[in-house]
Amino acid sequence: MPDDPVPSTEMPPGEHCFPVTRSVAAGMSSWLLYKGEAREAALRALPVQGRSWNTLPRSLRPSATMVGLKPPEVPPTAAMKFISAGMAGCIADLCTFPLDTAKVRLQIQGEVRIPRTISSVEYRGVVGTLSTMVRTEGARSLYRGLAAGLQRQMSFASIRIGLYDSVKQIYTPKGAENAGMATRLLAGCTTGAVAVACAQPTDVVKVRFQASRTVSDSALRYSGTVDAYRTIAREEGIRGLWRGTLPNIARNAVINCGELVTYDLLKDALLRTQLMAGEDGAGGRGQVPSLSLRHPTPGSSPPLDNIPCHFVAAFGAGFCATVVASPVDVVKTRYMNASPGQYRNALSCLLALLMQDGPAGLYKGFVPSFLRLGSWNVVMFVSYEQLQRALVLARPALA
């Protein structure tokens, strides 16, 4: 079907005709009269017979400012989501890894030198930490452990984020139109726990590399990523590669609830209230968008599921995740970086932290944590949504 129908002086009959009410059609002598608000008003008055928005001529579709790839009619498969989540996690890590390294340094500083004095504080603030690392260790230190970080995302993000929708559908009761809050929380906890169990060794190695300069003033612990896996397994046993699994599971259960569920709810709210509606939101019509492109309803608009919507939802999700997960994250980082025998378990690590720094120690490194997790969420979710759509669009070409 061409984008714009050929002008005609009478209404074309048949299946390809989009009839309007007689009162409207009586005064129309040509399709050219359908312009501006009149065209959109006539379109909203059309009787719905299961038509898709994409079956309408482009000149008759409601106008909207769509940033990025448009949502496809065919939803992405679980495999597409799995691959997209891993790739998006790697992209986000590449963009925000220095902030993650600064967060780790701030969380563990003062841990080795007890009691801690003012002169022993090496890093002050995010900018001070980054500048000190570049000055004393070189710019490459900002990306130390990146290989393990990318390995982690390919397994961790793929499971935690890529399988979230599939697990949420499994937990959703039959006949329910939407997943409830309990279902979303349960799905987030499930994928987070499974992801930690699979990817914990990569997380241990990543943290060891990022914290290697702080642990000792001598040479680095490991010569490379493979050497790190071998050395940890040889010196600490296989269990050493899964050090801190329980606090990490707790951390990711909290993060998933504060991150994935928050993103899911914020995105759904933005779509339903049309707060990010662009041109379609002008005029204050306040229509609820149809979330199904295949069955538009009268008075509805195509879902404005675009990059601005993803950006706002991801930023809010990053802030909520940082607030609720920072205490667990500090304990997890210290416990995973500890030497053998330094702490009996995660609880002893928590008690030592409280005795040394007080409750404020639970939010040590909060600013870099938020900068890192907030920016990581924005880059990851925006990339994730666009990669899903790109894979769906590329699927017919690859078939």
Side-chain angles (χ1 to χ4, degrees), residues 273-306:
T273 58
Q274 288 190 318
L275 294 178
M276 309 296 296
E279 292 180 12
D280 279 342
R285 292 194 293 268
Q287 301 151 359
V288 177
S290 171
L291 300 181
S292 172
L293 285 173
R294 291 185 177 276
H295 303 289
T297 56
S300 68
S301 300
L304 296 158
D305 190 2
N306 51 20

PDB file of all heavy atoms in Angstrom, residues 273-306:
ATOM      1  N   THR A 273       0.017   7.168  30.857  1.00  0.00           N
ATOM      2  CA  THR A 273      -0.346   8.558  31.128  1.00  0.00           C
ATOM      3  C   THR A 273       0.111   9.504  30.035  1.00  0.00           C
ATOM      4  O   THR A 273      -0.241  10.675  30.060  1.00  0.00           O
ATOM      5  CB  THR A 273       0.262   9.027  32.464  1.00  0.00           C
ATOM      6  OG1 THR A 273       1.691   8.888  32.411  1.00  0.00           O
ATOM      7  CG2 THR A 273      -0.277   8.186  33.614  1.00  0.00           C
ATOM      8  N   GLN A 274       0.902   9.011  29.083  1.00  0.00           N
ATOM      9  CA  GLN A 274       1.393   9.811  27.960  1.00  0.00           C
ATOM     10  C   GLN A 274       2.191  11.027  28.424  1.00  0.00           C
ATOM     11  O   GLN A 274       2.128  12.089  27.819  1.00  0.00           O
ATOM     12  CB  GLN A 274       0.248  10.253  27.062  1.00  0.00           C
ATOM     13  CG  GLN A 274      -0.354   9.121  26.237  1.00  0.00           C
ATOM     14  CD  GLN A 274      -1.317   9.622  25.183  1.00  0.00           C
ATOM     15  OE1 GLN A 274      -2.128  10.509  25.441  1.00  0.00           O
ATOM     16  NE2 GLN A 274      -1.214   9.080  23.996  1.00  0.00           N
ATOM     17  N   LEU A 275       2.951  10.876  29.504  1.00  0.00           N
ATOM     18  CA  LEU A 275       3.785  11.979  29.969  1.00  0.00           C
ATOM     19  C   LEU A 275       4.936  12.258  29.013  1.00  0.00           C
ATOM     20  O   LEU A 275       5.469  13.364  28.983  1.00  0.00           O
ATOM     21  CB  LEU A 275       4.337  11.667  31.360  1.00  0.00           C
ATOM     22  CG  LEU A 275       3.301  11.584  32.484  1.00  0.00           C
ATOM     23  CD1 LEU A 275       3.970  11.216  33.797  1.00  0.00           C
ATOM     24  CD2 LEU A 275       2.561  12.908  32.617  1.00  0.00           C
ATOM     25  N   MET A 276       5.336  11.251  28.232  1.00  0.00           N
ATOM     26  CA  MET A 276       6.396  11.425  27.247  1.00  0.00           C
ATOM     27  C   MET A 276       5.797  11.380  25.852  1.00  0.00           C
ATOM     28  O   MET A 276       6.378  10.824  24.928  1.00  0.00           O
ATOM     29  CB  MET A 276       7.450  10.325  27.398  1.00  0.00           C
ATOM     30  CG  MET A 276       7.975  10.147  28.809  1.00  0.00           C
ATOM     31  SD  MET A 276       8.866  11.588  29.407  1.00  0.00           S
ATOM     32  CE  MET A 276      10.247  11.623  28.281  1.00  0.00           C
ATOM     33  N   ALA A 277       4.613  11.993  25.683  1.00  0.00           N
ATOM     34  CA  ALA A 277       3.844  11.792  24.462  1.00  0.00           C
ATOM     35  C   ALA A 277       4.308  12.609  23.287  1.00  0.00           C
ATOM     36  O   ALA A 277       3.905  12.368  22.176  1.00  0.00           O
ATOM     37  CB  ALA A 277       2.364  12.101  24.725  1.00  0.00           C
ATOM     38  N   GLY A 278       5.161  13.623  23.485  1.00  0.00           N
ATOM     39  CA  GLY A 278       5.615  14.422  22.345  1.00  0.00           C
ATOM     40  C   GLY A 278       4.458  15.138  21.706  1.00  0.00           C
ATOM     41  O   GLY A 278       3.602  15.731  22.348  1.00  0.00           O
ATOM     42  N   GLU A 279       4.351  15.041  20.378  1.00  0.00           N
ATOM     43  CA  GLU A 279       3.314  15.762  19.655  1.00  0.00           C
ATOM     44  C   GLU A 279       1.937  15.205  19.951  1.00  0.00           C
ATOM     45  O   GLU A 279       0.959  15.904  19.975  1.00  0.00           O
ATOM     46  CB  GLU A 279       3.600  15.694  18.144  1.00  0.00           C
ATOM     47  CG  GLU A 279       4.840  16.469  17.741  1.00  0.00           C
ATOM     48  CD  GLU A 279       5.081  16.367  16.252  1.00  0.00           C
ATOM     49  OE1 GLU A 279       4.174  15.905  15.545  1.00  0.00           O
ATOM     50  OE2 GLU A 279       6.150  16.755  15.792  1.00  0.00           O
ATOM     51  N   ASP A 280       1.865  13.879  20.164  1.00  0.00           N
ATOM     52  CA  ASP A 280       0.565  13.288  20.411  1.00  0.00           C
ATOM     53  C   ASP A 280      -0.017  13.729  21.740  1.00  0.00           C
ATOM     54  O   ASP A 280      -1.210  13.670  21.965  1.00  0.00           O
ATOM     55  CB  ASP A 280       0.660  11.761  20.382  1.00  0.00           C
ATOM     56  CG  ASP A 280       0.659  11.229  18.971  1.00  0.00           C
ATOM     57  OD1 ASP A 280       0.247  11.960  18.066  1.00  0.00           O
ATOM     58  OD2 ASP A 280       1.087  10.092  18.796  1.00  0.00           O
ATOM     59  N   GLY A 281       0.897  14.141  22.665  1.00  0.00           N
ATOM     60  CA  GLY A 281       0.401  14.574  23.959  1.00  0.00           C
ATOM     61  C   GLY A 281      -0.107  15.998  23.955  1.00  0.00           C
ATOM     62  O   GLY A 281      -0.687  16.447  24.917  1.00  0.00           O
ATOM     63  N   ALA A 282       0.130  16.759  22.886  1.00  0.00           N
ATOM     64  CA  ALA A 282      -0.311  18.148  22.842  1.00  0.00           C
ATOM     65  C   ALA A 282      -1.828  18.215  22.813  1.00  0.00           C
ATOM     66  O   ALA A 282      -2.500  17.417  22.191  1.00  0.00           O
ATOM     67  CB  ALA A 282       0.290  18.828  21.612  1.00  0.00           C
ATOM     68  N   GLY A 283      -2.335  19.201  23.471  1.00  0.00           N
ATOM     69  CA  GLY A 283      -3.777  19.372  23.467  1.00  0.00           C
ATOM     70  C   GLY A 283      -4.452  18.808  24.678  1.00  0.00           C
ATOM     71  O   GLY A 283      -5.632  18.991  24.867  1.00  0.00           O
ATOM     72  N   GLY A 284      -3.709  18.069  25.505  1.00  0.00           N
ATOM     73  CA  GLY A 284      -4.267  17.579  26.753  1.00  0.00           C
ATOM     74  C   GLY A 284      -5.388  16.594  26.596  1.00  0.00           C
ATOM     75  O   GLY A 284      -6.332  16.584  27.373  1.00  0.00           O
ATOM     76  N   ARG A 285      -5.335  15.731  25.569  1.00  0.00           N
ATOM     77  CA  ARG A 285      -6.430  14.795  25.373  1.00  0.00           C
ATOM     78  C   ARG A 285      -6.454  13.718  26.452  1.00  0.00           C
ATOM     79  O   ARG A 285      -7.478  13.185  26.775  1.00  0.00           O
ATOM     80  CB  ARG A 285      -6.323  14.165  23.982  1.00  0.00           C
ATOM     81  CG  ARG A 285      -6.570  15.160  22.871  1.00  0.00           C
ATOM     82  CD  ARG A 285      -6.800  14.438  21.569  1.00  0.00           C
ATOM     83  NE  ARG A 285      -5.609  13.756  21.103  1.00  0.00           N
ATOM     84  CZ  ARG A 285      -4.720  14.296  20.284  1.00  0.00           C
ATOM     85  NH1 ARG A 285      -4.861  15.546  19.889  1.00  0.00           N
ATOM     86  NH2 ARG A 285      -3.678  13.603  19.865  1.00  0.00           N
ATOM     87  N   GLY A 286      -5.236  13.378  26.995  1.00  0.00           N
ATOM     88  CA  GLY A 286      -5.186  12.431  28.100  1.00  0.00           C
ATOM     89  C   GLY A 286      -5.653  11.042  27.754  1.00  0.00           C
ATOM     90  O   GLY A 286      -6.235  10.354  28.573  1.00  0.00           O
ATOM     91  N   GLN A 287      -5.480  10.596  26.499  1.00  0.00           N
ATOM     92  CA  GLN A 287      -5.933   9.279  26.115  1.00  0.00           C
ATOM     93  C   GLN A 287      -4.947   8.228  26.595  1.00  0.00           C
ATOM     94  O   GLN A 287      -3.756   8.447  26.636  1.00  0.00           O
ATOM     95  CB  GLN A 287      -6.065   9.201  24.591  1.00  0.00           C
ATOM     96  CG  GLN A 287      -7.033  10.240  24.040  1.00  0.00           C
ATOM     97  CD  GLN A 287      -6.658  10.637  22.642  1.00  0.00           C
ATOM     98  OE1 GLN A 287      -5.683  10.159  22.094  1.00  0.00           O
ATOM     99  NE2 GLN A 287      -7.437  11.508  22.061  1.00  0.00           N
ATOM    100  N   VAL A 288      -5.454   7.081  26.960  1.00  0.00           N
ATOM    101  CA  VAL A 288      -4.608   5.967  27.370  1.00  0.00           C
ATOM    102  C   VAL A 288      -4.162   5.225  26.120  1.00  0.00           C
ATOM    103  O   VAL A 288      -4.993   4.802  25.330  1.00  0.00           O
ATOM    104  CB  VAL A 288      -5.377   5.013  28.311  1.00  0.00           C
ATOM    105  CG1 VAL A 288      -4.508   3.824  28.675  1.00  0.00           C
ATOM    106  CG2 VAL A 288      -5.811   5.757  29.552  1.00  0.00           C
ATOM    107  N   PRO A 289      -2.854   5.067  25.894  1.00  0.00           N
ATOM    108  CA  PRO A 289      -2.400   4.413  24.686  1.00  0.00           C
ATOM    109  C   PRO A 289      -2.722   2.938  24.692  1.00  0.00           C
ATOM    110  O   PRO A 289      -2.726   2.281  25.730  1.00  0.00           O
ATOM    111  CB  PRO A 289      -0.884   4.633  24.716  1.00  0.00           C
ATOM    112  CG  PRO A 289      -0.564   4.788  26.158  1.00  0.00           C
ATOM    113  CD  PRO A 289      -1.755   5.451  26.775  1.00  0.00           C
ATOM    114  N   SER A 290      -3.021   2.416  23.522  1.00  0.00           N
ATOM    115  CA  SER A 290      -3.197   0.985  23.392  1.00  0.00           C
ATOM    116  C   SER A 290      -1.828   0.342  23.345  1.00  0.00           C
ATOM    117  O   SER A 290      -1.025   0.653  22.481  1.00  0.00           O
ATOM    118  CB  SER A 290      -3.980   0.671  22.112  1.00  0.00           C
ATOM    119  OG  SER A 290      -3.979  -0.703  21.865  1.00  0.00           O
ATOM    120  N   LEU A 291      -1.535  -0.576  24.279  1.00  0.00           N
ATOM    121  CA  LEU A 291      -0.226  -1.198  24.336  1.00  0.00           C
ATOM    122  C   LEU A 291      -0.098  -2.324  23.332  1.00  0.00           C
ATOM    123  O   LEU A 291       0.943  -2.939  23.230  1.00  0.00           O
ATOM    124  CB  LEU A 291       0.048  -1.715  25.746  1.00  0.00           C
ATOM    125  CG  LEU A 291       0.038  -0.639  26.829  1.00  0.00           C
ATOM    126  CD1 LEU A 291       0.354  -1.245  28.173  1.00  0.00           C
ATOM    127  CD2 LEU A 291       1.013   0.470  26.499  1.00  0.00           C
ATOM    128  N   SER A 292      -1.158  -2.616  22.605  1.00  0.00           N
ATOM    129  CA  SER A 292      -1.098  -3.636  21.564  1.00  0.00           C
ATOM    130  C   SER A 292      -1.279  -2.984  20.220  1.00  0.00           C
ATOM    131  O   SER A 292      -2.312  -2.397  19.933  1.00  0.00           O
ATOM    132  CB  SER A 292      -2.191  -4.700  21.770  1.00  0.00           C
ATOM    133  OG  SER A 292      -2.244  -5.571  20.673  1.00  0.00           O
ATOM    134  N   LEU A 293      -0.259  -3.062  19.386  1.00  0.00           N
ATOM    135  CA  LEU A 293      -0.343  -2.436  18.076  1.00  0.00           C
ATOM    136  C   LEU A 293      -1.335  -3.149  17.175  1.00  0.00           C
ATOM    137  O   LEU A 293      -1.836  -2.588  16.220  1.00  0.00           O
ATOM    138  CB  LEU A 293       1.034  -2.443  17.412  1.00  0.00           C
ATOM    139  CG  LEU A 293       2.052  -1.435  17.958  1.00  0.00           C
ATOM    140  CD1 LEU A 293       3.403  -1.689  17.329  1.00  0.00           C
ATOM    141  CD2 LEU A 293       1.615  -0.023  17.704  1.00  0.00           C
ATOM    142  N   ARG A 294      -1.613  -4.412  17.449  1.00  0.00           N
ATOM    143  CA  ARG A 294      -2.475  -5.178  16.561  1.00  0.00           C
ATOM    144  C   ARG A 294      -3.954  -4.830  16.745  1.00  0.00           C
ATOM    145  O   ARG A 294      -4.758  -5.059  15.864  1.00  0.00           O
ATOM    146  CB  ARG A 294      -2.275  -6.680  16.793  1.00  0.00           C
ATOM    147  CG  ARG A 294      -0.910  -7.168  16.340  1.00  0.00           C
ATOM    148  CD  ARG A 294      -0.813  -8.679  16.485  1.00  0.00           C
ATOM    149  NE  ARG A 294       0.455  -9.172  15.989  1.00  0.00           N
ATOM    150  CZ  ARG A 294       0.717  -9.438  14.724  1.00  0.00           C
ATOM    151  NH1 ARG A 294      -0.198  -9.234  13.817  1.00  0.00           N
ATOM    152  NH2 ARG A 294       1.897  -9.896  14.351  1.00  0.00           N
ATOM    153  N   HIS A 295      -4.320  -4.327  17.905  1.00  0.00           N
ATOM    154  CA  HIS A 295      -5.723  -4.061  18.170  1.00  0.00           C
ATOM    155  C   HIS A 295      -5.896  -2.671  18.768  1.00  0.00           C
ATOM    156  O   HIS A 295      -6.163  -2.526  19.955  1.00  0.00           O
ATOM    157  CB  HIS A 295      -6.296  -5.118  19.109  1.00  0.00           C
ATOM    158  CG  HIS A 295      -6.144  -6.507  18.598  1.00  0.00           C
ATOM    159  ND1 HIS A 295      -6.868  -6.996  17.538  1.00  0.00           N
ATOM    160  CD2 HIS A 295      -5.312  -7.511  18.982  1.00  0.00           C
ATOM    161  CE1 HIS A 295      -6.531  -8.242  17.287  1.00  0.00           C
ATOM    162  NE2 HIS A 295      -5.579  -8.589  18.145  1.00  0.00           N
ATOM    163  N   PRO A 296      -5.717  -1.617  17.969  1.00  0.00           N
ATOM    164  CA  PRO A 296      -5.930  -0.274  18.494  1.00  0.00           C
ATOM    165  C   PRO A 296      -7.387  -0.062  18.867  1.00  0.00           C
ATOM    166  O   PRO A 296      -8.277  -0.617  18.253  1.00  0.00           O
ATOM    167  CB  PRO A 296      -5.502   0.640  17.332  1.00  0.00           C
ATOM    168  CG  PRO A 296      -5.653  -0.208  16.115  1.00  0.00           C
ATOM    169  CD  PRO A 296      -5.361  -1.611  16.542  1.00  0.00           C
ATOM    170  N   THR A 297      -7.613   0.740  19.878  1.00  0.00           N
ATOM    171  CA  THR A 297      -8.973   1.008  20.339  1.00  0.00           C
ATOM    172  C   THR A 297      -9.375   2.419  19.964  1.00  0.00           C
ATOM    173  O   THR A 297      -8.528   3.281  19.772  1.00  0.00           O
ATOM    174  CB  THR A 297      -9.050   0.844  21.864  1.00  0.00           C
ATOM    175  OG1 THR A 297      -8.090   1.701  22.467  1.00  0.00           O
ATOM    176  CG2 THR A 297      -8.771  -0.589  22.274  1.00  0.00           C
ATOM    177  N   PRO A 298     -10.682   2.691  19.856  1.00  0.00           N
ATOM    178  CA  PRO A 298     -11.109   4.047  19.510  1.00  0.00           C
ATOM    179  C   PRO A 298     -10.594   5.042  20.535  1.00  0.00           C
ATOM    180  O   PRO A 298     -10.637   4.811  21.739  1.00  0.00           O
ATOM    181  CB  PRO A 298     -12.643   3.936  19.560  1.00  0.00           C
ATOM    182  CG  PRO A 298     -12.936   2.489  19.357  1.00  0.00           C
ATOM    183  CD  PRO A 298     -11.798   1.759  19.989  1.00  0.00           C
ATOM    184  N   GLY A 299     -10.079   6.176  20.043  1.00  0.00           N
ATOM    185  CA  GLY A 299      -9.588   7.218  20.920  1.00  0.00           C
ATOM    186  C   GLY A 299      -8.211   6.954  21.458  1.00  0.00           C
ATOM    187  O   GLY A 299      -7.757   7.633  22.354  1.00  0.00           O
ATOM    188  N   SER A 300      -7.517   5.926  20.942  1.00  0.00           N
ATOM    189  CA  SER A 300      -6.188   5.624  21.442  1.00  0.00           C
ATOM    190  C   SER A 300      -5.146   6.069  20.435  1.00  0.00           C
ATOM    191  O   SER A 300      -5.438   6.354  19.292  1.00  0.00           O
ATOM    192  CB  SER A 300      -6.031   4.128  21.701  1.00  0.00           C
ATOM    193  OG  SER A 300      -6.040   3.421  20.479  1.00  0.00           O
ATOM    194  N   SER A 301      -3.890   6.114  20.884  1.00  0.00           N
ATOM    195  CA  SER A 301      -2.774   6.475  20.035  1.00  0.00           C
ATOM    196  C   SER A 301      -1.783   5.341  20.043  1.00  0.00           C
ATOM    197  O   SER A 301      -1.759   4.532  20.964  1.00  0.00           O
ATOM    198  CB  SER A 301      -2.092   7.749  20.548  1.00  0.00           C
ATOM    199  OG  SER A 301      -2.999   8.827  20.575  1.00  0.00           O
ATOM    200  N   PRO A 302      -0.910   5.245  19.037  1.00  0.00           N
ATOM    201  CA  PRO A 302       0.114   4.211  19.077  1.00  0.00           C
ATOM    202  C   PRO A 302       1.018   4.427  20.277  1.00  0.00           C
ATOM    203  O   PRO A 302       1.253   5.549  20.696  1.00  0.00           O
ATOM    204  CB  PRO A 302       0.899   4.442  17.768  1.00  0.00           C
ATOM    205  CG  PRO A 302       0.016   5.288  16.923  1.00  0.00           C
ATOM    206  CD  PRO A 302      -0.826   6.087  17.853  1.00  0.00           C
ATOM    207  N   PRO A 303       1.506   3.356  20.904  1.00  0.00           N
ATOM    208  CA  PRO A 303       2.336   3.513  22.089  1.00  0.00           C
ATOM    209  C   PRO A 303       3.612   4.274  21.789  1.00  0.00           C
ATOM    210  O   PRO A 303       4.318   3.971  20.842  1.00  0.00           O
ATOM    211  CB  PRO A 303       2.647   2.069  22.505  1.00  0.00           C
ATOM    212  CG  PRO A 303       2.423   1.258  21.281  1.00  0.00           C
ATOM    213  CD  PRO A 303       1.349   1.951  20.506  1.00  0.00           C
ATOM    214  N   LEU A 304       3.907   5.290  22.601  1.00  0.00           N
ATOM    215  CA  LEU A 304       5.080   6.128  22.398  1.00  0.00           C
ATOM    216  C   LEU A 304       6.247   5.558  23.195  1.00  0.00           C
ATOM    217  O   LEU A 304       6.760   6.168  24.123  1.00  0.00           O
ATOM    218  CB  LEU A 304       4.753   7.559  22.809  1.00  0.00           C
ATOM    219  CG  LEU A 304       3.664   8.171  21.920  1.00  0.00           C
ATOM    220  CD1 LEU A 304       2.973   9.307  22.621  1.00  0.00           C
ATOM    221  CD2 LEU A 304       4.230   8.616  20.605  1.00  0.00           C
ATOM    222  N   ASP A 305       6.614   4.343  22.841  1.00  0.00           N
ATOM    223  CA  ASP A 305       7.656   3.596  23.531  1.00  0.00           C
ATOM    224  C   ASP A 305       8.991   3.961  22.898  1.00  0.00           C
ATOM    225  O   ASP A 305       9.550   3.213  22.103  1.00  0.00           O
ATOM    226  CB  ASP A 305       7.348   2.110  23.390  1.00  0.00           C
ATOM    227  CG  ASP A 305       8.220   1.250  24.277  1.00  0.00           C
ATOM    228  OD1 ASP A 305       9.027   1.821  25.024  1.00  0.00           O
ATOM    229  OD2 ASP A 305       8.087   0.023  24.209  1.00  0.00           O
ATOM    230  N   ASN A 306       9.535   5.146  23.262  1.00  0.00           N
ATOM    231  CA  ASN A 306      10.715   5.651  22.587  1.00  0.00           C
ATOM    232  C   ASN A 306      11.846   5.923  23.571  1.00  0.00           C
ATOM    233  O   ASN A 306      11.733   5.663  24.769  1.00  0.00           O
ATOM    234  CB  ASN A 306      10.363   6.924  21.794  1.00  0.00           C
ATOM    235  CG  ASN A 306       9.638   7.944  22.655  1.00  0.00           C
ATOM    236  OD1 ASN A 306       9.711   7.899  23.881  1.00  0.00           O
ATOM    237  ND2 ASN A 306       8.946   8.869  22.020  1.00  0.00           N
TER     238      ASN A 306
END
